[in-house]
Amino acid sequence: MSDTRHTKVLIIGSGPAGYTAAIYAARAMLDPVLVQGIEPGGQLTTTTDVENWPGDINVQGPELMQRMEAHARETGTEIISDIITSLDLSKRPFTAMSDSGTTFTADAVILATGAQAKWLGLPSEEKYKGFGVSACATCDGFFYRGKEIVVIGGGNTAVEEALFLTNFATKVTLIHRRDSLRAEKILQDRLFKHPKIEVLWDHTVEEVLGTDTPPGVTGVRAKHVKTGKTTDVPCEGFFVAIGHAPATELVKDQLVLHNGGYVKVHPGTTETSVPGVFAAGDLTDHVYRQAVTSAGMGCMAALDAERFLSAQPVAEPVSA
Ligand code: FAD
Ligand code: NAP
């Protein structure tokens, strides 16, 4: 059965950005409705130790997200287990349709649908995710102190991650499928000059090698793209840095995007190209992609939405 609901603020997404936006919007008396999506709690529910969330020396990702959900609920957010399947931003109130058949109309929308790392798609990569395979050097680099690491990719992210990982690793091998990098020249210079970094050109990774008990990575099998010759590169950490895909399916034809598909916001705000639509978290952030920065942007989005709504003319009462 379909029904229609109106809300002042519709928040789409239940990661750190969405829940933080909800807490601030609820405390601003905006009675927000938050739709959780297919992954309630977002990306952090797919990891174990989170060691850089301020105030928690070590917290499990799923537990942290349950606490954020409870906090958002406690402040008065209505949290709905559903998926937004389409969104019309062409006129206000904005309209969102959900998988269960609800139509939401909203005076303002906060988009917090996150981003997903791209993966190579190897079964062995999947097997060792969380046991040596990662897509986040900032999150997991610390676990590879004094160990060898392999990074795959040739863009800014791969080069930045390789450089960052030298803080921990004894050696970092960057594997790239071509003979030149896509990354900015200044980053390339730093990479080539670094004594701990070696580049393996013209190679892809065809298998992640490891042990079963305990589960862990011991190396990667790299394959030369022209000769087909394989080389086993030893490592305990394998970082996949071949790009991220921001979750812009709902808005890609309606909002201005940049930097490879991220939602563009006006600098220093969460305002998108459509007034009344705000974006927060990994969806709009190709640089930091952290829980704490996403939460910070969630706060900004709620404050921006509150200011936007209070600047709107009050509707005239309909006379009898
Ligand atoms: P996400 O967490 O990606 O959440 C997106 C939300 O949008 C989800 O709830 C999803 O269900 C919802 N959604 C998507 N589409 C729809 C739709 N159509 N309708 C409704 N809802 C929708 N960061 C750190 O700071 N520290 C760490 O230790 C750390 N470890 C990590 C480990 C792993 C394995 C990964 C993958 C990431 C890690 N990160 C870490 C990064 C961190 O998780 C992200 O930066 C953060 O989760 C981004 O928050 P977000 O709210 O923008 O989006
Ligand atoms: P990216 O620029 O798209 O680079 C992805 C890299 O991965 C490319 O080198 C690509 O190879 C390689 N790759 C893709 N699929 C692969 C596969 N299946 N197997 C092996 N290699 C594969 O992604 P990004 O580095 O994450 O950057 C995304 C955007 O954010 C860019 O606009 C970037 O400039 C920006 N960014 C900026 C900064 C910064 O300003 N400091 C930092 C990070 C990111 P090819 O080169 O052969 O295509």
Side-chain angles (χ1 to χ4, degrees):
M1 204 183 77
S2 70
D3 66 321
T4 301
R5 303 265 324 266
H6 182 75
T7 175
K8 280 181 242 171
V9 179
L10 177 67
I11 300 169
I12 307 176
S14 56
Y19 283 145
T20 308
I23 292 163
Y24 276 80
R27 286 173 52 77
M29 311 305 281
L30 293 175
D31 304 323
V33 169
L34 180 149
V35 180
Q36 288 182 305
I38 203 164
E39 191 175 55
Q43 293 172 59
L44 278 189
T45 60
T46 67
T47 191
T48 50
D49 297 332
V50 178
E51 297 186 359
N52 51 15
W53 180 256
D56 279 308
I57 291 166
N58 188 322
V59 60
Q60 298 292 296
E63 184 203 336
L64 178 60
M65 294 319 299
Q66 276 166 13
R67 282 175 13 205
M68 283 194 208
E69 178 179 341
H71 193 166
R73 215 181 275 283
E74 179 64 28
T75 48
T77 306
E78 185 180 352
I79 295 177
I80 296 180
S81 172
D82 207 345
I83 300 165
I84 299 298
T85 49
S86 69
L87 188 57
D88 180 358
L89 302 178
S90 63
K91 58 182 185 312
R92 290 184 57 230
F94 306 115
T95 309
M97 312 282 283
S98 86
D99 191 46
S100 69
T102 305
T103 301
F104 295 95
T105 56
D107 298 326
V109 169
I110 295 178
L111 299 163
T113 48
Q116 298 289 330
K118 290 183 190 162
W119 297 95
L120 297 170
L122 305 169
S124 52
E125 171 191 60
E126 189 60 36
K127 176 175 172 184
Y128 292 113
K129 268 185 202 166
F131 299 103
V133 173
S134 170
C136 181
T138 317
C139 318
D140 298 330
F142 193 67
F143 301 120
Y144 301 97
R145 276 162 293 168
K147 298 180 176 162
E148 291 189 25
I149 290 175
V150 169
V151 177
I152 185 164
N156 278 343
T157 304
V159 173
E160 282 190 344
E161 300 226 332
L163 287 164
F164 175 74
L165 289 165
T166 59
N167 292 322
F168 315 100
T170 50
K171 179 181 175 188
V172 176
T173 305
L174 181 80
I175 299 182
H176 183 41
R177 64 184 177 182
R178 293 187 294 120
D179 63 358
S180 65
L181 297 170
R182 183 182 288 273
E184 288 165 28
K185 292 287 176 250
I186 187 164
L187 288 173
Q188 295 195 30
D189 279 354
R190 279 184 217 147
L191 183 94
F192 297 144
K193 279 186 194 144
H194 204 290
K196 282 191 187 174
I197 299 179
E198 194 173 294
V199 182
L200 190 57
W201 299 108
D202 291 320
H203 278 76
T204 53
V205 166
E206 63 168 23
E207 195 180 346
V208 183
L209 310 169
T211 51
D212 283 346
T213 42
V217 169
T218 56
V220 297
R221 181 152 300 149
K223 184 176 170 188
H224 196 285
V225 291
K226 291 170 194 152
T227 65
K229 185 172 176 281
T230 58
T231 308
D232 288 353
V233 185
C235 65
E236 288 182 55
F238 176 50
F239 287 81
V240 179
I242 61 171
H244 276 72
T248 54
E249 197 50 42
L250 295 171
V251 296
K252 63 181 184 332
D253 301 323
Q254 305 183 74
L255 296 180
V256 175
L257 310 179
H258 68 160
N259 284 325
Y262 290 81
V263 172
K264 187 173 185 183
V265 290
H266 297 135
T269 77
T270 59
E271 294 163 9
T272 68
S273 51
V274 172
V277 180
F278 305 88
D282 282 13
L283 173 72
T284 177
D285 173 15
H286 70 283
V287 179
Y288 302 106
R289 289 193 292 245
Q290 295 297 296
V292 71
T293 47
S294 298
M297 283 185 259
C299 155
M300 290 165 65
L303 298 179
D304 288 345
E306 197 274 326
R307 277 185 206 124
F308 170 81
L309 291 173
S310 37
Q312 298 306 306
V314 179
E316 292 292 325
V318 181
S319 52

